[in-house]
Amino acid sequence: GSVGRINPGVEAKIIDPATGEELAHGSEGLLALRGSNIGDGKGFVRTTDLALLDEDGFLFIRGRNDNAIIRGGFKILPHDVIQVLEKHPAVREAGVVGIADTRLGDVPAAAYIVKTGASAPTEDGLRAFLRERLMPYQIPVLLLAVDELPRTPSMKISQPALKALLEQELARREFSRTEPP
């Protein structure tokens, strides 16, 4: 699962995202790099990669701290997709997460709540709306209308619960396409 060792001439450390303190080997945190070709070449530059370095110097990437979705090398910020979804006249609120894809790495998937009194848009209609406002790689592979989005105790959208919901729906749709008549 390692991505290998750090390139010669580059220093790496793992830091606590909140405090900036360096963490011990084997601890997960933000990857920070320093090298002559990075930043000003003097100080460490924080990345948004969640990572760990083991005692042998092997680097393991565990995800993104900024919730960015990397789809075939293109970076997608969920917030950008959410803003466009919520501009649709029938969408009250939306959430977007990355879903694992064997070919592209991760792909965006979205769930949304329809405004009270509005008719739910068709999936094709909503996709057409998004195509006019987003780059093709930003368009979610799944658009799911829900009555409520999963929430944390502080009423924020629960990213893990939303991801589980969308993965389950994607699996259900894949199964129904392959199920014999």
Side-chain angles (χ1 to χ4, degrees):
S2 167
V3 297
R5 292 187 180 189
I6 300 298
N7 290 338
V10 176
E11 294 176 70
K13 65 181 180 178
I14 304 300
I15 59 174
D16 182 288
T19 66
E21 297 291 321
E22 186 171 357
L23 300 173
H25 289 291
S27 298
E28 186 174 298
L30 287 181
L31 176 63
L33 301 168
R34 177 170 59 189
S36 61
N37 61 343
I38 300 170
D40 64 7
K42 297 174 185 169
F44 277 90
V45 175
R46 283 187 186 197
T47 70
T48 55
D49 292 316
L50 287 174
L52 70 86
L53 278 169
D54 71 11
E55 292 175 0
D56 296 319
F58 285 94
L59 177 66
F60 296 80
I61 303 294
R62 299 293 193 213
R64 308 274 306 179
N65 191 50
D66 62 0
N67 293 327
I69 301 163
I70 307 300
R71 181 182 192 169
F74 292 98
K75 183 177 180 177
I76 303 163
L77 295 176
H79 179 73
D80 294 345
V81 180
I82 290 167
Q83 281 187 312
V84 174
L85 276 165
E86 291 178 350
K87 286 181 182 173
H88 189 282
V91 175
R92 184 179 93 202
E93 185 179 14
V96 175
V97 295
I99 303 290
D101 182 88
T102 55
R103 189 172 63 86
L104 297 171
D106 285 318
V107 291
Y112 62 93
I113 300 171
V114 177
K115 286 181 181 174
T116 304
S119 296
T122 65
E123 192 163 337
D124 287 342
L126 189 52
R127 272 189 205 292
F129 178 85
L130 295 174
R131 267 192 230 102
E132 293 175 5
R133 294 161 177 83
L134 293 172
M135 298 300 294
Y137 61 85
Q138 293 176 299
I139 297 172
V141 298
L142 174 64
L143 295 163
L144 180 65
V146 295
D147 293 331
E148 290 298 325
L149 292 164
R151 306 276 179 187
T152 66
S154 64
M155 295 308 293
K156 292 180 180 176
I157 296 173
S158 169
Q159 298 299 309
L162 179 60
K163 183 174 183 164
L165 172 75
L166 292 167
E167 286 173 337
Q168 182 179 24
E169 177 63 18
L170 202 55
R172 187 192 68 74
R173 289 183 185 192
E174 288 295 320
F175 178 75
S176 68
R177 271 190 276 189
T178 60
E179 189 177 69

